[in-house]
Amino acid sequence: MKTPLTAVAVSCTLKPSPAASSSDLLATQLLEALSAHGVTGDLVRAVDLSLNPGVEKDMGGDDEWPRIREQVLDADILIFVTPTWMGQHSSVAQRVLERLDAELGETDADGRPTLFDKVAIAGIVGNEDGAHHIAAILFQSLNDVGFTVPAQSSVYWNGEAMHTTDYKDLDETPEKVASAIETAARNAAHLARLLAAHGYPAE
């Protein structure tokens, strides 16, 4: 019997709810693909929350990062999805990365960084190039704070530059993207299950 796993998908779209979002769509597709491997999870649209600037786990006041942080710490898998703007990840994505930086100073009961034994995969959408560049930034940042990155775990779609068609406007998911979603989900679930059974040593 497979070990039950959980995931949280953080969508870093710039569009507040209830606007349709390509980032949300890709995040949802990744969650659905993971469900076939015994993984349950939820979607968070970060732009809908008040995420104060800073690199602490709680910046006080109206800061709602602690809510997302709790979901990330409770999950085995983080799905990090961002749109592409001016060839870069979104400002919301950068804010989330900066808030995750706080985990560098946090440890679990065994003295290990809090994000050890957790897996991260990435999704990137946009009507311009830059997906590989963004994936490199996301994976370096997420690995630096403790996440483990599975093989072939970035999923992206780039529309034609300066085109008006978004990922959410496509009649169907392109075959290559669908295949990448399945590969990322399968590898993420496999790796997360291994880490759940045999976590990184404390020393």
Side-chain angles (χ1 to χ4, degrees), residues 24-44:
D24 276 30
L25 173 58
L26 181 54
T28 299
Q29 290 175 325
L30 284 163
L31 281 169
E32 290 174 349
L34 281 166
S35 70
H37 301 279
V39 183
T40 59
D42 297 303
L43 172 66
V44 175

Side-chain angles (χ1 to χ4, degrees), residues 132-146:
H132 286 171
H133 165 71
I134 293 171
I137 291 174
L138 297 185
F139 284 151
Q140 187 282 324
S141 300
L142 295 170
N143 181 257
D144 193 45
V145 297

